[in-house]
Amino acid sequence: MDPLDDWFPYPDFRPNQREMLAFAAETARSGGIAMIDAPTGSGKSSVVSALLAERNGRKVIVAVRTISQLATFIRELALVRKKQPSLTFSYLVGKGSMCPLGGEGDPYRRCEGVKAFSSALMRERAQKGSLVPSEDRTIQDQIRHLDPEHPLICPYFIRSKVFVRGDEESGLRMASSVTLRQKADRVKSEAIAPENLKSFCSGMCPYETMMQAARGADVLICNFHHLFNDDIRDQLYATLDIEPKDVLLLIDEAHNCGDVVEGIQSVVLEYEMLEQAMTELAHLSRTMKDVNAVRQILPNIETFMEALRRSEKGEDWFDPGIFHRSVVRGSLYKNLEEIVGDLSKIANRISEKNKSAGVYKESAVERLADFMYRVFRAGADPTFLTLYRSAEGKVELEVRNIDPGEKLQEIGQAHAACILISGTLSPLDAYRKYYFGDIPVQTLSLPNSFPKENRLVACGRDVTTAYRMRQNKQNTGRIVEYIRAFAHARGNLAVYFPSYQILNTYAQLCGGRINGKEVFTEPKESREATAALQEFVSLPEKGRAGILFAVCGGKWSEGLDYRGEMLRGAMVVGLPLAPYNSVRKMVIEYYRHKFGREGEFISYTLPAINRATQALGRVLRTPEDTGVLVLAEERFLDPGVFAGLPPWMQQEMEVCDVVRFRELVATWK
C-alpha cells in the first residue's frame, strides 16, 4: 500500500492530484529541489501529506506569505490529523500582531530587549532561591511599576518561565513553565486559530507558546520572513535545535519568492533619516570619541543627495564609486570600509543604550550604518544596484537587490528537500532559471482541473496600452467599449490596469456607473481600500453587483479569495510591465548577461505576465465557480508573451475584436 494513502485526508483525489503528490513524495525520499505549477483547484495544500508520508523523523516546515495561506494549511493539517491522530503541528505568526506587551518602537527589538532584561532579573532572583519568577515579590513589584510605553521587563515572558536546578556544573537552568508547556501542547494538538491565540494564552507570552509548540511539532507553518531573512532563520533553527539538512521544506505561493527576497536584501536612505542621524550623533559627540569623525561625512552625503534632487529623472542609477569619493572627501577616512566599521560600532552602542532605557525604536544611525554597508558591498556585487529617486523636491537613495537566485539556491540546497508550489509558475522553466540557475531542479506542470465549460477566456487583438498608442483616440475608445461590454457579464466584476495613472484615465472615461453597476476605484490608502473592498464583496448578498477598478499587483489583485458570487469575471487592460527607465534597462542587461536572450523575458516580461494571471486567478476558486477572464491587450498574442501564459489559457483563448467580444459576453451564461 502506498504510504501516501495513510496521510491523504480526502476520500478521493482530484484530477492530476495523485501525480502531483507522488512527485512531491519522490522528492522528499530522494532529496533535492522541485517546483510544481498547479492551477487553482489542483489541491496543492495536500502536498504536505506527501511530505508527511516520507518524513521519517524529519521536521516539515511550510513557508507561506499571508495569514490566509497559513489558515489554509492549518485546515489541511487538521484534516490529516483525523486520519493520523498522533500528528502535531504548530505555526509562527509575527510578533507585531501577537505581542500583548505594547509600547513604542519595533516589536522585535522591544521583545529582545525586555527578554534580556527580564532574564537577567529572573536569574538574579533565582540565585537567591526564587525559582518561580512570577511569584517573586521583587519581580512582582517591578511589574506593578512598569512603564507601559517604555517597558523594561515583560510580565508575559516572566509568567512563561521557571528555573530548575541542575548539577553543580550546569547550575540553574531557565525552562518553560508547566502552564506554558500545557498550552503549547494544546496548540500542537488542537487547531487553535492565530486570531484566538493571544486570548488563549491568557497572561502567557504568545510567542513563547508558539516557539514551545514548534519545538516538538511534526510540522511548523511560518511566514516567508522566517525563512528568507538569514538572521531570523538562523535564530529559529537554533531555537528549534534543528539543521536544514533534517528539514523537508515546502514553499507556498512560490511566484512571490523573488520579490520577497529582493525586498529583504534592499535598503533605503531617506533625507529625513540622514537629518535624524545628524541629530543623534550630535548628542553623542561628548561621550563617544569616534563620533566626530563620522559626523564629518554626513554633510558630504547630504551634498551628494542634494545634487541628485535637481535631476530631471524620477529614478536612476548612481555610481557607488563616485558616492565613495564624495563621502570620504575632506574626512579622516580613507574608504567606506572604515566608515562602515565606525558606524556599526556607534550603532551598536546606541542600540544597547536605548534598550537599557526602554526605547526600542531603531535609531537613524543604525539604518545609516546598514545603508553604508550595502553601498560598500554593492561596489563589487552586480546583484545590487545603487539607485536614487527624486520626486516633489525630495530625494532618497536605495541599494536594491535585483537577483534572488543566490539566496534561493543557498536555501534550497541546504535542506533535505525543498518543494516550491504555486498556481502561477508559468512558464515553469523560466522560473526555474530565475530562481535556481543551472543547479538541478525537478519540475511538474499540471493542467487546469476545473471544468472548461465554466469559464470564458478571451483576448482582445485590437487594443493596447502600449505607450505609443495611449493618445490614440480610436484605441482608447475601443478599450472603453471592452469595459462596457464586459460590464454586461453577470455579477461582480473586476478590471485591472497596469498603473494608477491608466486606471484613473479610464475611471474618468467610464464614469461612476457602468450598465447599472457601481464602480469601486482602488484607493492608494490601505484603510480606505479595505473598507471599499468589504462593501464590494457584500453586494451579491444584497442582490446587487459592482465593478472594481484596480491595479495589477496592487491591494485588490493578489492574496484575496473571491469565492462564489463575490467575483464573476476579471479583465486585465494592458500588459502590466514595469516602467521602462534606465534602472529597468540595467536590470535587463544584468539578466541578459546571465541568461542570454532569455534574460529580458525573465526579468521584464515574466513578472508582467504573472501580475496579469494573478489578477485573473481571483475569479475561479472552486470547481463550481463560473466566470469570464479577459486580456484586453494585443501584446498577449505576441509569440514570446503568449508562450508565457499558462498552457490551459493558451488552449482555450478566444481571440477577438471588440464586436466579437460583445457577442461572446452577451451569449455567456
Side-chain angles (χ1 to χ4, degrees):
M1 183 176 177
D2 190 338
L4 179 60
D5 292 322
D6 294 332
W7 294 91
F8 185 69
Y10 303 100
D12 301 298
F13 289 92
R14 297 182 184 186
N16 308 300
Q17 189 180 24
R18 180 142 206 163
E19 175 191 358
M20 173 175 62
L21 301 192
F23 175 79
E26 175 57 33
T27 303
R29 276 194 302 272
S30 305
I33 303 169
M35 302 179 74
I36 301 173
D37 177 36
T40 302
S42 303
K44 292 186 291 295
S45 56
S46 288
V47 168
V48 72
S49 299
L51 300 189
L52 286 167
E54 300 294 336
R55 190 169 71 90
N56 294 326
R58 295 173 292 187
K59 202 176 198 73
V60 176
I61 292 182
V62 182
V64 299
R65 190 172 67 92
T66 65
I67 288 290
S68 63
Q69 290 156 5
L70 184 145
T72 295
F73 279 97
I74 289 176
R75 290 193 297 268
E76 183 77 18
L77 290 164
L79 292 174
V80 175
R81 187 154 54 201
K82 290 181 178 179
K83 201 165 187 178
Q84 294 284 348
S86 63
L87 174 69
T88 58
F89 61 88
S90 185
Y91 54 82
L92 291 177
V93 181
K95 293 178 182 178
S97 60
M98 282 292 166
C99 181
L101 182 60
E104 296 180 348
D106 177 70
Y108 290 87
R109 296 166 68 88
R110 182 175 65 237
C111 179
E112 293 308 309
V114 296
K115 279 174 62 176
F117 196 96
S118 300
S119 297
L121 175 62
M122 289 155 55
R123 183 169 295 278
E124 177 187 317
R125 299 305 301 166
Q127 289 170 348
K128 296 181 179 180
S130 285
L131 301 183
V132 182
S134 61
E135 297 177 0
D136 180 79
R137 291 185 177 181
T138 299
I139 294 177
Q140 288 176 342
D141 187 59
Q142 291 253 20
I143 292 173
R144 280 194 297 271
H145 292 90
L146 190 70
D147 180 351
E149 293 302 319
H150 303 285
L152 291 176
I153 61 174
C154 178
Y156 305 96
F157 178 72
I158 289 169
R159 295 184 197 114
S160 304
K161 298 297 179 181
V162 294
F163 280 82
V164 294
R165 295 189 185 279
D167 53 34
E168 290 186 7
E169 184 175 335
S170 59
L172 290 169
R173 179 174 60 86
M174 186 189 294
S176 297
S177 68
V178 172
T179 305
L180 182 81
R181 293 200 301 271
Q182 290 172 341
K183 288 185 179 294
D185 287 342
R186 287 187 60 190
V187 169
K188 286 188 295 185
S189 59
E190 302 174 23
I192 296 172
E195 60 267 24
N196 298 329
L197 184 65
K198 194 184 292 189
S199 59
F200 168 78
C201 289
S202 61
M204 297 284 166
C205 173
Y207 201 78
E208 288 295 316
T209 304
M210 288 190 290
M211 288 302 301
Q212 178 67 26
R215 288 185 182 94
D218 302 319
V219 183
L220 173 63
I221 314 166
C222 61
N223 65 43
F224 275 8
H225 279 258
H226 285 111
L227 177 65
F228 295 134
N229 185 301
D230 290 348
D231 293 337
I232 295 175
R233 183 183 66 256
D234 291 346
Q235 184 178 5
L236 172 63
Y237 281 26
T239 302
L240 299 179
D241 194 24
I242 56 173
E243 295 289 338
K245 63 183 178 61
D246 299 319
V247 172
L248 301 177
L249 179 61
L250 176 61
I251 303 175
D252 191 27
E253 295 295 305
H255 63 276
N256 287 305
C257 289
D259 287 344
V260 173
V261 170
E262 289 175 1
I264 288 172
Q265 298 192 115
S266 301
V267 63
V268 173
L269 176 67
E270 299 167 330
Y271 185 76
E272 291 79 3
M273 186 196 306
L274 182 64
E275 285 189 315
Q276 191 176 341
M278 291 178 179
T279 302
E280 290 176 358
L281 290 171
H283 290 158
L284 295 170
S285 59
R286 293 182 180 178
T287 57
M288 296 185 186
K289 63 179 182 179
D290 45 1
V291 165
N292 286 325
V294 171
R295 289 179 67 193
Q296 290 181 0
I297 69 161
L298 300 195
N300 292 346
I301 300 175
E302 183 180 25
T303 301
F304 184 85
M305 295 177 75
E306 180 64 23
L308 295 177
R309 186 181 65 82
R310 295 190 292 269
S311 170
E312 295 179 357
K313 295 183 179 180
E315 182 181 68
D316 203 356
W317 174 77
F318 71 83
D319 187 335
I322 295 177
F323 178 82
H324 179 172
R325 292 191 293 274
S326 299
V327 170
V328 301
R329 185 181 298 123
S331 74
L332 299 175
Y333 294 103
K334 296 179 181 178
N335 52 52
L336 283 182
E337 188 173 8
E338 292 180 354
I339 295 172
V340 169
D342 277 358
L343 263 175
S344 297
K345 292 176 186 175
I346 296 168
N348 289 335
R349 279 180 277 175
I350 291 174
S351 176
E352 292 304 315
K353 181 181 177 182
N354 286 346
K355 285 178 184 177
S356 66
V359 176
Y360 304 108
K361 184 178 180 181
E362 183 183 29
S363 70
V365 172
E366 290 175 88
R367 285 178 284 172
L368 177 62
D370 188 23
F371 174 80
M372 297 296 284
Y373 167 73
R374 299 294 180 94
V375 175
F376 168 69
R377 178 178 173 183
D381 189 342
T383 66
F384 287 86
L385 282 186
T386 47
L387 316 172
Y388 72 88
R389 282 183 294 277
S390 179
E392 299 178 355
K394 295 183 178 181
V395 67
E396 63 183 26
L397 309 182
E398 179 181 8
V399 182
R400 182 185 302 172
N401 176 244
I402 61 170
D403 188 353
E406 182 179 343
K407 181 57 57 185
L408 290 172
Q409 291 167 33
E410 174 190 322
I411 291 172
Q413 292 181 307
H415 289 80
C418 176
I419 300 176
L420 296 86
I421 59 176
S422 172
T424 52
L425 276 178
S426 294
L428 198 47
D429 190 57
Y431 273 101
R432 178 189 62 77
K433 288 182 179 178
Y434 176 36
Y435 286 174
F436 298 109
D438 296 327
I439 68 175
V441 176
Q442 299 296 315
T443 61
L444 176 68
S445 184
L446 299 185
N448 194 320
S449 61
F450 285 169
K452 182 179 176 181
E453 60 272 16
N454 283 4
R455 56 186 178 259
L456 168 64
V457 183
C459 182
R461 59 177 172 80
D462 55 346
V463 287
T464 182
T465 62
Y467 187 77
R468 60 181 171 79
M469 292 291 286
R470 287 184 190 174
Q471 303 304 318
N472 184 290
K473 292 183 179 180
Q474 290 78 20
N475 177 71
T476 300
R478 282 193 296 271
I479 292 176
V480 172
E481 288 184 55
Y482 267 94
I483 295 172
R484 287 177 176 160
F486 179 58
H488 283 83
R490 187 162 56 92
N492 270 358
L493 306 172
V495 183
Y496 295 97
F497 300 89
S499 68
Y500 284 103
Q501 181 182 6
I502 297 176
L503 181 156
N504 291 330
T505 296
Y506 286 97
Q508 291 175 6
L509 291 171
C510 292
R513 300 188 77 84
I514 310 174
N515 191 35
K517 296 179 179 179
E518 182 181 354
V519 175
F520 291 75
T521 302
E522 179 181 330
K524 292 187 178 181
E525 294 296 326
S526 296
R527 186 178 301 177
E528 295 177 29
T530 301
L533 184 63
Q534 289 174 344
E535 183 181 352
F536 172 78
V537 298
S538 69
L539 290 177
E541 299 174 0
K542 305 170 185 175
R544 297 160 53 200
I547 301 181
L548 283 182
F549 274 27
V551 174
C552 280
K555 305 174 191 69
W556 289 348
S557 70
E558 288 196 45
L560 299 174
D561 200 353
Y562 302 101
R563 291 177 181 269
E565 298 296 318
M566 291 182 186
L567 195 64
R568 300 299 298 274
M571 169 187 282
V572 173
V573 174
L575 179 61
L577 293 164
Y580 191 86
N581 54 23
S582 56
V583 172
R584 184 57 49 188
K585 187 176 179 181
M586 292 180 73
V587 174
I588 291 171
E589 286 301 319
Y590 167 83
Y591 277 95
R592 279 181 180 156
H593 180 75
K594 184 174 182 178
F595 294 124
R597 188 181 306 172
E598 196 177 0
E600 180 170 354
F601 175 83
I602 289 173
S603 64
Y604 191 52
T605 310
L606 178 62
I609 295 172
N610 190 270
R611 281 190 282 271
T613 54
Q614 277 290 308
L616 296 184
R618 301 305 96 201
V619 178
L620 304 171
R621 310 301 292 175
T622 72
E624 295 75 32
D625 290 343
T626 61
V628 180
L629 311 178
V630 187
L631 296 169
E633 170 59 64
E634 64 185 19
R635 284 175 290 177
F636 280 105
L637 300 174
D638 292 346
V641 180
F642 185 80
L645 293 170
W648 64 271
M649 289 188 69
Q650 298 179 36
Q651 296 159 11
E652 299 176 26
M653 184 178 289
E654 289 264 7
V655 179
C656 58
D657 58 18
V658 70
V659 175
R660 175 58 180 157
F661 179 67
R662 219 180 274 119
E663 295 171 353
L664 289 171
V665 174
T667 56
W668 174 251
K669 54 190 174 184

